[in-house]
Amino acid sequence: MINYISDIVNRLETLNVTFAYDHFKTAKETPFLCYKIDEIKTSGADNKSLLKNHSVIVELYTKERDFDFENRILALFEDVEISASNVFIKLEEIYVTYFEFEFIEKI
């Protein structure tokens, strides 16, 4: 179960691939990952926020489409509802697979 951003980091570390929050300062060799919190919404009751709903995006960058690696990422997050989409960036000749999911943090 994902309760905190650190839970995402801990899971990504098991992949043994370079990753960073949002972006790297210098170019990296593929494969590599970036992750980010795309949106945070709070909710609660009685004029008090009790929950934070985090929208997360994990991006996998590869030279060739790597279905095995994509499946490893999907397996890491099998306890959350996750969607995946893919795009080829022709200018950079690189594939990017986006994995999107949400988790709720109790405040």
Side-chain angles (χ1 to χ4, degrees):
M1 181 176 208
I2 299 174
N3 295 307
Y4 304 101
I5 296 167
S6 60
D7 296 331
I8 297 167
V9 172
N10 291 338
R11 292 179 189 201
L12 294 178
E13 285 175 342
T14 66
L15 295 170
N16 296 318
V17 67
T18 303
F19 69 92
Y21 184 83
D22 193 53
H23 66 280
F24 290 93
K25 293 181 181 181
T26 59
K28 299 294 177 195
E29 289 293 318
T30 60
F32 64 88
L33 296 166
C34 290
Y35 72 99
K36 64 183 174 182
I37 305 300
D38 190 47
E39 182 178 29
I40 298 174
K41 294 180 185 176
T42 59
S43 62
D46 299 328
N47 297 320
K48 186 173 183 179
S49 293
L50 302 170
L51 301 172
K52 281 186 189 176
N53 188 355
H54 300 267
S55 295
V56 179
I57 300 174
V58 175
E59 304 166 352
L60 169 63
Y61 293 82
T62 56
K63 284 288 183 192
E64 298 292 328
R65 186 91 190 261
D66 191 336
F67 295 102
D68 290 334
F69 205 117
E70 291 174 22
N71 286 328
R72 287 175 56 202
I73 293 170
L74 289 170
L76 277 182
F77 297 103
E78 66 186 0
D79 59 331
V80 295
E81 206 171 292
I82 189 168
S83 64
S85 59
N86 188 279
V87 66
F88 179 72
I89 301 173
K90 191 172 186 173
L91 185 63
E92 297 183 36
E93 295 187 5
I94 197 167
Y95 285 90
V96 184
T97 304
Y98 300 96
F99 302 88
E100 299 181 46
F101 60 90
E102 296 181 349
F103 74 94
I104 296 173
E105 176 184 357
K106 293 181 183 178
I107 302 173

